[in-house]
Amino acid sequence: MIKSNQKRASKFMESAGFWIRIGATLLDAIIVSIPLAFFSLIITGGENNEELVTDILSFLYSLLLPVVWGGYTIGKRICGIKIRRVDDHSSPGIVTMLLRNLVAGVIYGLTFGIGVIISALMVGLREDKRSIHDFIAGTEVVFDSVDMITRKHN
């Protein structure tokens, strides 16, 4: 019964909008920043390049965790949303996440942050809630079907 409900729900998953995505990002920042700062301090021994190590660890977190955890980061999991590929609804792979984070990050940097503002507007205004980095990587952020089924039956 649950399997058939999951299949049905995965075809019609609701796109995650602006505020839930911001909430997940803020949760990631709060929950992950303390351990990352601690690890950076241990790795660098308090040297000047602590910020660089924190940036690298943060990048690896946002790149690798969704690959190994089925499209989730800690914040996304708490909020009941996940990243998935648009074409086959599978979890993102390493290439997909590189496109989503690295290539999009370069574009956001080259546009001096204007791309970030446009992406936020896209998530807020588009029906499919996809941003620039979603289009670059062929991804979307949706509410988790298992989470939606659990909410409906409880």
Side-chain angles (χ1 to χ4, degrees):
M1 174 91 172
I2 294 270
K3 282 282 190 199
S4 64
N5 285 343
Q6 286 176 344
K7 284 182 183 177
R8 220 176 302 128
S10 71
K11 291 181 185 175
F12 304 105
M13 285 175 138
E14 183 182 347
S15 297
F18 178 79
W19 292 111
I20 193 76
R21 288 172 75 156
I22 289 291
T25 301
L26 289 174
L27 284 169
D28 276 330
I30 293 166
I31 294 168
V32 175
S33 64
I34 294 169
L36 283 183
F38 180 72
F39 287 129
S40 295
L41 185 64
I42 290 173
I43 291 169
T44 64
E47 297 295 320
N48 292 339
N49 50 352
E50 183 179 333
E51 187 176 329
L52 174 65
V53 173
T54 302
D55 290 343
I56 291 169
L57 291 174
S58 180
F59 174 76
L60 290 173
Y61 166 82
S62 63
L63 175 73
L64 298 175
L65 192 60
V67 172
V68 298
W69 205 18
Y72 295 105
T73 62
I74 294 171
K76 282 181 175 57
R77 183 68 184 158
I78 291 169
C79 291
I81 61 176
K82 66 180 181 178
I83 303 164
R84 72 175 186 183
R85 294 177 43 87
V86 173
D87 57 359
D88 61 1
H89 297 178
S90 65
S91 299
I94 191 75
V95 173
T96 301
M97 290 308 297
L98 278 169
L99 287 169
R100 186 178 165 88
N101 293 352
L102 190 62
V103 175
V106 169
I107 290 172
Y108 293 154
L110 290 174
T111 61
F112 301 105
I114 294 170
V116 174
I117 294 167
I118 292 170
S119 277
L121 289 171
M122 290 171 69
V123 172
L125 300 174
R126 288 180 55 88
E127 188 176 334
D128 65 0
K129 309 293 185 200
R130 292 177 69 203
S131 64
I132 292 172
H133 57 267
D134 287 318
F135 279 99
I136 290 170
T139 59
E140 62 186 348
V141 179
V142 295
F143 284 94
D144 182 27
S145 62
V146 175
D147 192 44
M148 287 173 63
I149 291 168
T150 305
R151 282 188 212 163
K152 279 188 174 182
H153 291 287
N154 287 334

